[in-house]
Amino acid sequence: MHRDLKSISAQIVRWIMLLYAGFNIAILIYVFYNSLRPRTDFLTNTFGLSTNLSIGNFIEIIVKDGFFRYCLNSFLILAGSLILSIFLSSTVAYGLGHYKFKFKRFWKTYFLIGLMFPIQLSIVPVFLITKQLNLINTFTSVILIFGSSISMSVFLLTNFFANLPKEIYEAAVLDGAGEFRTFVQIMFPMASPVVFSMSILTAVNIWNQFFVPLIFLQSDAKKTIPLLVMKYTKKLLMTIDSAFAVSILATVPILILFTIFSSQILEGIAEGGVKG
Amino acid sequence: MKKGIVLITTLLLLIGLLSGCVSTGGGKNVTLVVWGDPDNQAILEDCFEALNAEFAKQHPDIKIDYQWSGSFDGLNVAMQSDSLPDLFWVQGNKSSAMAEMAENGFLLPLDKYNPDKSRFPAGAIEYATVNGKIYCSFPSFIDYALVYYNKDIFAEHGLEKPKTYDEFVNAAKTLFEAGITPFSLGGDFEWSRYWPIQVMAATLANNDLERIKSGETTGEFPEIEYVFEQFRDMCAKGYFGTPAGAMDESSAQMAFTNGTVAMIFEGTWNNSLFRDLDFEVGRFALPDNNGVRAAQSGYSNFNTYAISSKCKYPDQAYEYIDFLNSKEAQQIVADYMKSIPAVEGITVDDPALAEVSDFQTVNNNIYHVLSNVPTKSGRPQDVFISSVVADLMTNSITAKEAVNKIVEEMNR
Amino acid sequence: MITFFKKRPYILFLVPGIILYTALIIYPIFSAMQLSLYEWNGIGPKTFVWIRNYVELFTDDFLMSQFTNALGNSLKLFALTVFIQTPLQIIFAYMVYSKMKNHRLAQITIFAPQFISTPIIVFIFRLLLDDNVGVINNLFRIIGLNALAKPWLGVPELGIFFMYLMITWGGIGVGMTFLIGAMNMVSVDGLEAAYIEGAGYWTRLLKVILPQIKATIINLILIAYIYAMTMFDFSYVLGGNTGGVGGSIDVMALFFYRIAFGDSNPVGGKISSNSIGMGTTIACVLFVLIFAISLLQIIYMSKSEEDR
């Protein structure tokens, strides 16, 4: 098919891409190498070869800060928000995409509004709501906020459901399946590639969020990984050793997971993006 | 059907999460939530762990839930939604914030507990006072900005610690001509780019600052203009690197710690940053042309906390304030932070202390003076810190225009 | 009752989403928006002032200059995305799509920074571009190009480009992957026919593939527009509240945030006693800017759907 991929221009682009890829790997290695150095060694001998590499910085973060607790917190928030967001967005998108009713365009637009404001705007009213529900400094508050931010997912999924052939639905209804059962057993599974793609993107987004957790989770026992990163990148000079170590700890495990599942993830996103 | 089960389990899980996370307070002991200095968690953490451990020993019935709220924004949101923690960190009269909080009824006045003022200097009490009432624990350490310098670079170029302002300017000139950038400046951040002016204004423009303080807000301010001119000139010449101050705070500090630049204007609160370097670090308060070294008035806010007016256990919360006011607590802070004590009887084990305490007079702090100008709607301190300093640094206004801008704002 | 829902089954599907979304996303937005009609600093007394905040925003020189600067920067980010990032994504996607050698490796490593959070991305770029500890500056010094060794991130005129570089580095992968997906849907017959007719490698991309993935590209551009208008974290982490020296990396969302919440002063709102009132006013103007463009896009999309 692409027998002329050997052309010079294509080869140049290819090498640019590979250089780019190599650069990304090199950066990670550089950060990792520096995370093994004591603070003064990096500051005074930045480009020299270090003589005393140790995993002391990592131990500091893992033991003293209790890094795994931050991981667990991040993970619980991610799982909760993701489940809520998938449930809400797929039902809404199905309702909007599959059925015909009045004011449908209004509701479609309504669900897009959430994309059009910076989250910072609504932080005070949301804080008041969570305060009334007695949810301040709980994961639930953060999960509810993330889980309800479904604008993007609804946008992607609605088109998908709208384009599904009606015959499948009609066959299921003829078999006597109710609306909800049809959705759960037939329509939702058909959407799973799109849902998967969407979930990955939502997950990445939630995992890296720092503003909402910053405001809603105050005690150290509840904080998430990005907040731990912020703690050490704020006064960089004082804590640059920890900043290196925490960057590696926050990044590398995720990247390893990504690499292992990369074909599923990338293909999922590719497929989901088009169908949505 | 499997999918249905998954969905139902999911919902149940969610509901469980919703109901399970409501925190259960209780017990006879009182728990107080305290929010620390959000920007300095990494630096202050050990110190407050020790402080809170000592407090727990003295007051086994009061549990302190010490939290780092993460940012100023957290405090903001808490205030606007009326959900402040029992106690939180404040900056006293260093900015107008505490006064605004007090005036809007967010803080508990502490006078009814009769805090013991005898150990504290007048300035420390003024720090904690708004409209005649005391609102926070008293500061017990001094903070001011001064010049840190690289003794090795100075020695290489035959320079010594400057005894007068002219010597200081000449030292910078000598270094610059030898191809060494004299200073680094964290120009990215509104506070770090302001330190040189705070230092120079205290040394060279104290009379003008006194005039403003005594209510004179119109006319000429030649000394302030001179300071602005000096700063602008040094920036334009490249004394602060080219482009001037094109760094963030930590890069500027790094330029100094790696020995690339010879000096940096920094606060004593960052003293611990400049330890254990592979060259010898010197420090001096900036002298004027009579050789008088001046510090700026200012107290460390590391241990100043206020009580929310909505606090349910004000008596217990005051115990914490009282503890912070005690000599023991201050000694713990001194042990960890190595700050300059403002009260008697605190010992600090730090070789740098002699150098940072070497000043003959404590002059005015320009930002505080501007913050306290009584104006109707003008905010001279904000115009100064957020636009004038940056404009001088980038050479986009003259010193004269800069002064006029502030004068105009003082009279708005 | 039951027949009501039987006739309108969509209501049951919509209700849970509508309730939570309205309570936690829409209601707070509108509750904040109505504050734009008040003079309020967040804690003191509130005064109803009608549209005076809007008038002030557009007539006050100080606010207007910040507004135009921030909007200009946001639009610059958007333009850079359209004219640099999107073409790059298309070219990269095409290379991966046509399964060049090592395409898997390239795709994974180019996508990977997506998983790195903003403070870390900024930290990494500091390590590259810092004047003292920056790798790139050090390389310049080693090869003798001392004039090129600069505190790059602090040069005000370049600030926005470096910030854009970070955003692109972190986010180029998603759009690229979407495009690969879109290309996979293009029918092979047309491509084969074009090849036989002698169309070269790049000509086939231009003539055959691009017209067929137009919808995906337009979607990406809309998302880029919304992103540029609401982007906050990079400006905030990099340049603090003022958006760099002289507002060089100030953007719309940060402008709103600075006016509403301030920085050095925990009570917020540095310049006026009307911080929240003016802040929400800016946010509402921002909303109109986004909404208008999105509406155009929605109308266009539903029109092309009807054409199909």
Side-chain angles (χ1 to χ4, degrees):
Chain A
M1 185 41 225
H2 297 290
R3 278 149 289 194
D4 48 359
L5 195 55
K6 289 260 172 335
S7 72
I8 294 173
S9 56
Q11 282 304 306
I12 291 175
V13 175
R14 175 172 162 253
W15 277 107
I16 291 174
M17 286 174 76
L18 290 179
L19 265 178
Y20 183 2
F23 166 79
N24 287 359
I25 295 170
I27 287 179
L28 265 188
I29 294 174
Y30 180 70
V31 174
F32 178 67
Y33 162 67
N34 281 311
S35 70
L36 298 172
R37 304 171 69 177
R39 170 175 164 261
T40 40
D41 183 44
F42 174 78
L43 290 181
T44 51
N45 179 30
T46 311
F47 300 104
L49 271 184
S50 180
T51 44
N52 51 350
L53 298 178
S54 80
I55 54 166
N57 296 335
F58 290 101
I59 292 178
E60 181 98 332
I61 302 273
I62 291 173
V63 176
K64 210 175 144 241
D65 278 314
F67 179 75
F68 294 120
R69 204 188 51 232
Y70 288 85
C71 280
L72 183 70
N73 295 346
S74 274
F75 180 76
L76 284 176
I77 288 177
L78 177 66
S81 322
L82 210 53
I83 290 168
L84 182 62
S85 137
I86 292 174
F87 170 71
L88 293 180
S89 57
S90 57
T91 47
V92 166
Y94 183 68
L96 286 176
H98 179 72
Y99 298 101
K100 287 206 161 38
F101 53 94
K102 267 189 198 166
F103 307 120
K104 201 162 114 170
R105 188 168 290 174
F106 165 78
W107 287 109
K108 272 186 177 174
T109 320
Y110 182 76
F111 275 97
L112 268 182
I113 290 178
L115 270 181
M116 301 176 193
F117 281 96
I119 173 87
Q120 288 78 14
L121 173 68
S122 46
I123 212 81
V124 173
V126 177
F127 201 81
L128 283 170
I129 296 174
T130 48
K131 190 184 151 200
Q132 257 152 25
L133 296 173
N134 219 343
L135 291 176
I136 287 172
N137 206 8
T138 64
F139 294 149
T140 319
S141 60
V142 181
I143 289 174
L144 281 174
I145 298 169
F146 287 153
S148 313
S149 313
I150 49 175
S151 299
M152 194 68 199
S153 330
V154 168
F155 178 65
L156 287 175
L157 273 172
T158 305
N159 283 340
F160 173 80
F161 282 120
N163 294 338
L164 274 188
K166 291 277 176 286
E167 294 79 24
I168 304 170
Y169 167 79
E170 274 149 20
V173 173
L174 276 182
D175 279 352
E179 295 289 343
F180 198 69
R181 241 182 84 196
T182 315
F183 169 69
V184 171
Q185 291 186 352
I186 298 170
M187 307 307 259
F188 184 77
M190 291 189 66
S192 56
V194 190
V195 171
F196 176 76
S197 148
M198 184 195 89
S199 310
I200 294 287
L201 297 180
T202 316
V204 171
N205 191 16
I206 292 173
W207 187 261
N208 290 334
Q209 276 282 344
F210 71 83
F211 190 79
V212 171
L214 180 76
I215 301 293
F216 285 87
L217 305 173
Q218 285 105 16
S219 69
D220 270 358
K222 299 270 168 60
K223 284 183 181 170
T224 58
I225 294 175
L227 298 184
L228 184 65
V229 173
M230 294 267 283
K231 169 179 161 187
Y232 289 113
T233 46
K234 223 169 212 163
K235 292 272 178 227
L236 200 51
L237 189 71
M238 189 70 182
T239 51
I240 198 159
D241 46 353
S242 309
F244 277 119
V246 79
S247 300
I248 288 295
L249 283 174
T251 310
V252 168
I254 300 292
L255 289 184
I256 291 175
L257 275 180
F258 166 63
T259 315
I260 295 172
F261 297 108
S262 59
S263 35
Q264 288 91 328
I265 292 175
L266 290 173
E267 261 138 48
I269 293 175
E271 202 181 335
V274 189
K275 286 188 179 161
Chain B
M1 204 52 228
K2 225 172 85 198
K3 288 265 157 67
I5 292 168
V6 171
L7 208 77
I8 289 161
T9 332
T10 309
L11 275 176
L12 286 177
L13 253 171
L14 265 176
I15 292 162
L17 222 63
L18 283 170
S19 50
C21 282
V22 182
S23 57
T24 45
K28 274 179 193 162
N29 292 347
V30 171
T31 300
L32 297 172
V33 176
V34 186
W35 281 5
D37 174 354
D39 269 347
N40 291 307
Q41 175 178 11
I43 297 172
L44 287 167
E45 209 165 25
D46 294 339
C47 175
F48 271 89
E49 239 162 63
L51 277 173
N52 294 337
E54 178 61 30
F55 182 77
K57 227 192 299 170
Q58 294 182 11
H59 302 276
D61 51 330
I62 305 175
K63 203 172 156 271
I64 295 292
D65 182 1
Y66 196 88
Q67 305 175 344
W68 303 93
S69 58
S71 73
F72 282 116
D73 312 326
L75 201 58
N76 248 322
V77 170
M79 211 171 336
Q80 288 179 19
S81 57
D82 213 1
S83 46
L84 283 167
D86 299 307
L87 289 128
F88 53 95
W89 169 83
V90 286
Q91 284 185 297
N93 63 355
K94 287 184 136 179
S95 74
S96 51
M98 189 175 89
E100 284 175 44
M101 288 184 217
E103 277 157 12
N104 284 295
F106 287 97
L107 305 182
L108 185 78
L110 306 177
D111 300 82
K112 69 169 174 180
Y113 297 104
N114 263 322
D116 176 16
K117 300 176 191 165
S118 59
R119 290 177 54 245
F120 299 92
I125 293 161
E126 198 185 308
Y127 173 103
T129 309
V130 180
N131 300 334
K133 285 187 186 147
I134 293 171
Y135 284 99
C136 69
S137 55
F138 299 121
S140 36
F141 298 92
I142 290 168
D143 257 349
Y144 74 101
L146 74 171
V147 183
Y148 288 80
Y149 70 105
N150 184 324
K151 283 191 177 168
D152 296 5
I153 297 185
F154 266 51
E156 255 170 62
H157 295 83
L159 295 167
E160 279 180 4
K161 179 159 146 180
K163 289 186 203 65
T164 62
Y165 182 71
D166 285 341
E167 274 185 46
F168 166 73
V169 174
N170 280 331
K173 194 166 167 238
T174 311
L175 290 167
F176 185 70
E177 279 162 4
I180 289 173
T181 309
F183 307 96
S184 65
L185 179 69
D188 240 18
F189 176 53
E190 47 190 355
W191 288 103
S192 56
R193 67 176 168 238
Y194 144 81
W195 304 134
I197 292 187
Q198 174 171 325
V199 170
M200 292 197 269
T203 299
L204 305 170
N206 200 44
N207 292 329
D208 277 359
L209 295 178
E210 280 297 332
R211 278 169 55 208
I212 296 176
K213 216 173 155 187
S214 65
E216 211 182 313
T217 56
T218 49
E220 303 277 307
F221 294 96
E223 289 181 350
I224 295 180
E225 197 180 316
Y226 177 70
V227 168
F228 285 176
E229 187 60 52
Q230 288 282 302
F231 176 66
R232 194 186 72 120
D233 194 44
M234 286 182 183
C235 288
K237 276 185 191 150
Y239 282 18
F240 288 99
T242 19
M247 296 177 181
D248 61 295
E249 194 179 14
S250 36
S251 305
Q253 291 162 346
M254 248 183 264
F256 179 71
T257 57
N258 293 352
T260 327
V261 303
M263 294 178 263
I264 184 169
F265 288 90
E266 263 290 353
T268 49
W269 54 90
N270 275 336
N271 222 344
S272 52
L273 287 182
F274 306 119
R275 254 185 227 130
D276 313 323
L277 301 174
D278 63 352
F279 58 85
E280 213 183 323
V281 179
R283 304 150 185 86
F284 60 85
L286 190 67
D288 64 9
N289 273 332
N290 299 320
V292 179
R293 294 183 190 279
Q296 309 95 45
S297 69
Y299 288 93
S300 160
N301 52 32
F302 282 157
N303 55 349
T304 54
Y305 283 71
I307 304 177
S308 155
S309 55
K310 296 278 164 64
C311 174
K312 280 198 194 106
Y313 311 104
D315 297 350
Q316 285 86 342
Y318 182 72
E319 291 295 321
Y320 194 71
I321 299 284
D322 196 41
F323 169 69
L324 289 176
N325 278 340
S326 73
K327 205 168 132 184
E328 276 166 287
Q330 287 154 3
Q331 185 59 51
I332 295 176
V333 177
D335 291 344
Y336 280 90
M337 306 314 297
K338 317 266 189 213
S339 316
I340 315 162
V343 291
E344 296 289 313
I346 307 289
T347 50
V348 180
D349 167 33
D350 183 19
L353 194 71
E355 274 185 324
V356 292
S357 326
D358 178 21
F359 51 81
Q360 284 83 45
T361 166
V362 178
N363 287 348
N364 286 299
N365 174 320
I366 184 169
Y367 181 78
H368 294 184
V369 169
L370 293 177
S371 304
N372 290 319
V373 174
T375 67
K376 259 199 216 103
S377 63
R379 293 179 72 101
Q381 79 274 28
D382 291 337
V383 167
F384 167 67
I385 200 101
S386 62
S387 87
V388 167
V389 179
D391 289 344
L392 288 168
M393 185 180 84
T394 51
N395 202 2
S396 43
I397 49 172
T398 65
K400 179 94 196 148
E401 286 164 354
V403 172
N404 287 343
K405 241 175 150 174
I406 293 171
V407 169
E408 191 187 310
E409 195 66 23
M410 286 198 292
N411 294 298
R412 205 154 108 175
Chain C
M1 189 67 190
I2 292 169
T3 44
F4 177 82
F5 285 119
K6 267 251 157 70
K7 273 192 184 156
R8 301 171 182 80
Y10 53 88
I11 291 182
L12 289 176
F13 284 102
L14 290 177
V15 158
I18 287 181
I19 290 175
L20 272 181
Y21 175 79
T22 307
L24 290 164
I25 309 291
I26 298 296
Y27 160 74
I29 288 175
F30 282 92
S31 137
M33 272 172 82
Q34 53 135 347
L35 293 176
S36 70
L37 303 176
Y38 288 86
E39 175 168 333
W40 192 39
N41 68 357
I43 56 173
K46 260 195 260 185
T47 333
F48 187 72
V49 295
W50 265 112
I51 54 160
R52 209 181 69 199
N53 288 333
Y54 291 88
V55 176
E56 195 185 331
L57 173 62
F58 288 105
T59 50
D60 185 291
D61 288 345
F62 189 62
L63 285 170
M64 207 52 214
S65 66
Q66 291 183 69
F67 178 85
T68 41
N69 175 46
L71 182 62
N73 282 335
S74 284
L75 290 175
K76 255 184 230 167
L77 287 182
F78 173 59
L80 284 166
T81 309
V82 174
F83 294 110
I84 297 178
Q85 184 179 319
T86 311
L88 268 182
Q89 283 170 328
I90 294 173
I91 293 170
F92 286 180
Y94 186 49
M95 293 296 290
V96 174
Y97 160 75
S98 43
K99 304 222 163 26
M100 68 173 201
K101 223 169 148 194
N102 315 101
H103 70 275
R104 204 87 202 128
L105 171 80
Q107 196 190 356
I108 292 173
T109 40
I110 291 173
F111 190 90
Q114 186 70 34
F115 294 94
I116 304 179
S117 64
T118 308
I120 301 181
I121 293 183
V122 171
F123 178 49
I124 287 176
F125 274 77
R126 289 235 157 100
L127 292 173
L128 292 175
L129 295 164
D130 186 88
D131 196 22
N132 309 289
V133 298
V135 177
I136 290 179
N137 281 320
N138 193 52
L139 283 179
F140 280 139
R141 291 203 178 95
I142 288 173
I143 56 175
L145 292 168
N146 281 0
L148 280 177
K150 268 188 199 178
W152 287 105
L153 288 177
V155 182
E157 303 81 51
L158 298 177
I160 191 94
F161 296 99
F162 281 112
M163 187 168 84
Y164 179 71
L165 204 67
M166 295 179 207
I167 296 172
T168 306
W169 186 72
I172 196 169
V174 176
M176 177 179 142
T177 313
F178 275 157
L179 288 165
I180 296 172
M183 289 176 187
N184 284 334
M185 306 285 277
V186 172
S187 89
V188 183
D189 297 346
L191 278 172
E192 198 63 56
Y195 180 71
I196 290 162
E197 278 169 29
Y201 181 68
W202 298 111
T203 321
R204 291 200 301 279
L205 172 65
L206 277 177
K207 293 271 163 65
V208 184
I209 292 184
L210 276 189
Q212 296 194 53
I213 59 171
K214 209 170 61 185
T216 306
I217 295 175
I218 288 174
N219 266 341
L220 284 179
I221 287 177
L222 176 70
I223 292 169
Y225 177 74
I226 295 179
Y227 180 80
M229 287 296 172
T230 54
M231 200 280 298
F232 168 80
D233 46 358
F234 279 96
S235 280
Y236 183 68
V237 176
L238 256 177
N241 231 299
T242 49
V245 178
S248 59
I249 51 171
D250 198 14
V251 288
M252 282 306 283
L254 185 67
F255 172 46
F256 141 71
Y257 181 80
R258 174 176 58 247
I259 298 294
F261 298 109
D263 170 39
S264 46
N265 177 353
V267 180
K270 282 201 256 176
I271 302 301
S272 76
S273 54
N274 185 22
S275 49
I276 296 290
M278 185 52 73
T280 46
T281 304
I282 295 164
C284 290
V285 173
L286 175 61
F287 167 72
V288 172
L289 287 171
I290 298 174
F291 191 71
I293 301 288
S294 312
L295 216 56
L296 279 181
Q297 144 87 2
I298 291 168
I299 292 168
Y300 170 82
M301 287 297 273
S302 40
K303 235 180 96 186
S304 62
E305 251 167 58
E306 281 158 24
D307 293 346
R308 252 189 251 166

